[in-house]
Amino acid sequence: QVQLVESGGGLVQAGGSLRVSCAASGGTDSRYVMGWLRQAPGKEREFVAAISWVTWRDTTRYSDSVKGRFTISRDNAKNTVYLQMNSLKPEDTAVYYCAADRTTPNVVAGNPSYWGQGTQVTVSS
């Protein structure tokens, strides 16, 4: 079964940068849509970013709140997906979850088939 393990979360000042990583194992391949979701205290889980393999190239999608600041990428050789977060804001504070699904809709909807344990990202003001 697919297993996702996040790492790289931590505390960063507003305006700073952080990169979180997700190591995938247990049957994932390039056909899986990989992504990131986040959940802040008292708020619903929300979509952050996704990356899919379309026409032999990676296609990315971002929520409006992070577009231009965050970059999702994947290293197929390492079976790892990354989320580079720049210009961080206090409202980015949340638990960030790696996500995987066979298709895009469930990831974008915040309901992927698989997800990891999460990594805490805290942005101080």
Side-chain angles (χ1 to χ4, degrees), residues 31-83:
R31 289 175 290 183
Y32 271 87
V33 176
M34 304 294 297
W36 291 91
L37 312 174
R38 68 185 183 186
Q39 187 167 25
K43 296 184 178 180
E44 294 184 350
R45 182 174 57 247
E46 66 172 337
F47 166 76
V48 176
I51 185 166
S52 59
W53 190 250
V54 180
T55 318
W56 320 119
R57 64 179 291 273
D58 287 337
T59 298
T60 58
R61 179 181 294 182
Y62 302 92
S63 68
D64 290 340
S65 62
V66 307
K67 189 174 183 180
R69 299 187 297 120
F70 291 10
T71 302
I72 187 171
S73 62
R74 67 194 302 169
D75 186 334
N76 289 334
K78 297 180 179 180
N79 208 15
T80 301
V81 63
Y82 305 94
L83 184 68

Side-chain angles (χ1 to χ4, degrees):
Q1 189 169 334
V2 173
Q3 185 174 27
L4 307 173
V5 180
E6 303 96 331
S7 62
L11 175 65
V12 63
Q13 294 182 355
S17 299
L18 197 66
R19 187 182 73 167
V20 291
S21 303
C22 171
S25 63
T28 58
D29 57 41
S30 62
R31 289 175 290 183
Y32 271 87
V33 176
M34 304 294 297
W36 291 91
L37 312 174
R38 68 185 183 186
Q39 187 167 25
K43 296 184 178 180
E44 294 184 350
R45 182 174 57 247
E46 66 172 337
F47 166 76
V48 176
I51 185 166
S52 59
W53 190 250
V54 180
T55 318
W56 320 119
R57 64 179 291 273
D58 287 337
T59 298
T60 58
R61 179 181 294 182
Y62 302 92
S63 68
D64 290 340
S65 62
V66 307
K67 189 174 183 180
R69 299 187 297 120
F70 291 10
T71 302
I72 187 171
S73 62
R74 67 194 302 169
D75 186 334
N76 289 334
K78 297 180 179 180
N79 208 15
T80 301
V81 63
Y82 305 94
L83 184 68
Q84 177 67 46
M85 301 178 286
N86 298 326
S87 301
L88 283 162
K89 305 174 181 179
E91 52 262 44
D92 294 319
T93 296
V95 176
Y96 283 71
Y97 297 94
C98 183
D101 200 277
R102 298 295 296 182
T103 59
T104 303
N106 283 340
V107 174
V108 175
N111 188 33
S113 297
Y114 307 96
W115 57 21
Q117 84 287 352
T119 185
Q120 177 71 48
V121 173
T122 302
V123 184
S124 63
S125 60

